[in-house]
Amino acid sequence: MLETGTKAPAFSLPDQNGDMHTLEEYRGKKVILYFYPKDSTPGCTKQACGFAELYPQFMEKGAVVLGVSKDSVKSHKNFETKYGLPFTLLSDPEKEVIQAYDVWKEKKNYGKVSMGVVRTTYLIDEEGVIVKAMDKVKAAENPQQMLESLE
């Protein structure tokens, strides 16, 4: 996980519509950048729907929400459509941004060890500096925690 106080790594990734997004274009806004393992799985759906539910409050506080996984643009589009997600989902199949933000880790699931995205959320300030970093995030609680961290 990246440390608070460090500059957030730049990125350029396609969203669920195939449009490119860079961190630089969000300069002047707070960015909640959350990394999750997989579209349409129970925990990831809980987390995404939580962010969707609180999205108007994030907007009021001048924050944007960006979700990142290694799923395809098409998978993200299906996820967005199925759950009516109002925010941007970024596709990183090459894991360049996932690795730059240090969220590709060894995971244990039922005793089996594999590599995967560890659910992690970063709050990046208007200048592009990481001001909050949370790893081993609990999917259902994370949206509310991030909203409170904007207070």
Side-chain angles (χ1 to χ4, degrees):
M1 182 172 76
L2 301 178
E3 296 293 313
T4 56
T6 58
K7 190 130 181 67
F11 61 77
S12 180
L13 290 173
D15 69 8
Q16 64 269 38
N17 300 310
D19 300 325
M20 295 304 287
H21 291 259
T22 63
L23 182 58
E24 188 58 35
E25 74 189 57
Y26 295 104
R27 183 71 72 147
K29 290 185 173 171
K30 290 183 176 85
V31 176
I32 292 160
L33 186 66
Y34 84 95
F35 292 87
Y36 64 99
K38 191 153 181 51
D39 289 340
S40 298
T41 54
C44 298
T45 299
K46 261 192 204 117
Q47 188 177 22
C49 289
F51 276 118
E53 195 177 304
L54 298 173
Y55 193 67
Q57 290 158 271
F58 284 111
M59 296 284 289
E60 280 171 24
K61 295 185 184 309
V64 292
V65 176
L66 304 174
V68 182
S69 83
K70 63 185 191 65
D71 292 309
S72 67
V73 167
K74 185 177 188 293
S75 173
H76 279 353
K77 188 65 185 171
N78 292 342
F79 190 38
E80 173 205 37
T81 302
K82 185 173 182 180
Y83 295 101
L85 303 177
F87 54 86
T88 301
L89 297 173
L90 299 173
S91 176
D92 187 17
E94 304 299 316
K95 302 186 290 286
E96 287 173 19
V97 177
I98 287 167
Q99 288 174 333
Y101 280 83
D102 197 28
V103 298
W104 186 253
K105 304 273 188 191
E106 196 174 84
K107 297 166 79 170
K108 286 189 179 90
N109 197 10
Y110 302 112
K112 184 175 165 262
V113 177
S114 63
M115 293 299 287
V117 172
V118 174
R119 194 180 307 280
T120 306
T121 305
Y122 291 102
L123 174 58
I124 302 166
D125 74 8
E126 296 85 347
E127 303 300 314
V129 175
I130 296 170
V131 291
K132 187 174 180 107
M134 298 176 70
D135 65 349
K136 298 184 185 84
V137 165
K138 289 194 175 18
E141 298 166 12
N142 187 232
Q144 184 64 44
Q145 290 168 328
M146 294 313 292
L147 186 62
E148 289 166 10
S149 70
L150 293 172
E151 297 302 327

